């Protein structure tokens, strides 16, 4: 079933999640591309993956560090939505007839590394940072089956992904890590 940008019913695709865009707030934003119909602030939509109904009450237009409330949007527009954990990368958001877009492909990792928390007193921010970065798709995280070692194993396509995760853990969550 092909969805045309000129279809009257609203549909959108979540293509990116980003945590901590504003260092003063621990915010998470889902970036949604409007694919069909029109978007209106306050509209009720459903998430195809979960079937959950949401009200999009605080949509934002983002440009660099600037944000402004967005009252309406049309096919092709990108909208920033506050994400309290309701969205995942690849989600279809729609109103009216159920719609679903194919997900974003996931590539097999080629590099693996244990990530260690250098300071055990930072356990909670370590876990929170890992969860949020995993939700953004920065890396894949696995855990060993044995009980001897609890350190997560990061899986990535390239070395840069490891460096980005370590930098963000330090800067955004205040956690020093070693690989």
């Amino acid at each position: 079933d092909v969805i045309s940008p000129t279809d009257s019913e609203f549909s959108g695709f979540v293509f990116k999640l980003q945590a901590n865009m504003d260092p003063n707030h621990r915010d998470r934003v889902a970036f949604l591309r409007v694919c069909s119909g029109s978007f209106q602030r306050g509209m009720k939509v459903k998430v195809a993956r979960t079937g959950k109904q949401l009200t999009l009450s605080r949509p934002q237009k983002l440009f660099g560090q600037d944000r402004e409330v967005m009252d309406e949007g049309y096919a092709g527009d990108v909208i920033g939505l506050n994400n309290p954990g309701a969205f995942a990368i690849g989600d279809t958001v729609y109103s009216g007839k159920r719609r679903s877009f194919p997900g974003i492909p996931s590539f097999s990792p080629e590099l693996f590394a244990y990530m260690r928390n250098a300071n055990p007193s930072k356990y909670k921010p370590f876990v929170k940072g890992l969860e949020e970065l995993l939700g953004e798709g920065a890396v894949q995280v696995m855990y060993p089956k044995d009980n001897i070692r609890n350190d997560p194993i990061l899986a990535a396509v390239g070395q840069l992904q490891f460096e980005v995760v370590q930098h963000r853990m330090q800067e955004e969550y205040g956690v020093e890590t070693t690989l």
Side-chain angles (χ1 to χ4, degrees):
D1 191 28
V2 177
I3 299 171
S4 169
T6 58
D7 286 354
S8 61
E9 291 184 333
F10 169 79
S11 68
F13 185 77
V14 176
F15 65 90
K16 179 180 178 162
L17 301 177
Q18 181 72 45
N20 302 323
M21 290 183 61
D22 181 352
N24 298 323
H25 302 85
R26 289 275 183 208
D27 66 340
R28 294 189 296 181
V29 176
F31 289 88
L32 176 128
R33 166 125 7 230
V34 177
C35 297
S36 68
S38 65
F39 167 84
Q40 302 294 319
R41 181 169 57 138
M43 72 186 301
K44 293 188 183 314
V45 298
K46 280 194 174 180
V47 178
R49 176 178 53 87
T50 63
K52 188 174 183 179
Q53 184 169 337
L54 302 169
T55 301
L56 304 180
S57 57
R58 294 184 306 190
Q60 304 169 39
K61 180 166 48 170
L62 298 111
F63 187 76
Q65 292 297 318
D66 298 332
R67 298 178 186 211
E68 65 181 64
V69 174
M70 193 167 181
D71 290 320
E72 57 187 14
Y74 301 95
D77 287 348
V78 173
I79 301 169
L81 303 170
N82 291 335
N83 182 19
F87 301 110
I89 293 175
D91 275 351
T92 299
V93 179
Y94 67 94
S95 66
K97 184 179 96 177
R98 187 184 191 288
R99 297 164 178 249
S100 184
F101 295 107
I104 294 176
S106 165
F107 298 97
S108 298
E110 296 181 12
L111 302 172
F112 301 86
Y114 281 102
M115 176 176 258
R116 292 182 187 87
N117 177 6
N119 182 351
S121 69
K122 298 273 189 167
Y123 177 76
K124 283 185 179 180
F126 177 78
V127 170
K128 181 176 173 77
L130 263 182
E131 286 174 359
E132 289 191 1
L133 293 173
L134 175 63
E136 291 178 18
V139 289
Q140 295 176 40
V141 178
M142 298 173 235
Y143 290 91
K145 284 187 171 185
D146 62 19
N147 292 333
I148 298 170
R149 193 175 216 169
N150 298 9
D151 297 326
I153 302 168
L154 302 186
V157 175
Q159 181 65 33
L160 181 61
Q161 288 175 275
F162 293 146
E163 294 169 15
V164 167
V165 167
Q166 278 194 291
H167 176 77
R168 290 190 62 196
M169 290 290 282
Q170 177 70 51
E171 296 301 311
E172 296 174 23
Y173 300 95
V175 178
E176 184 180 338
T177 60
T178 59
L179 292 177

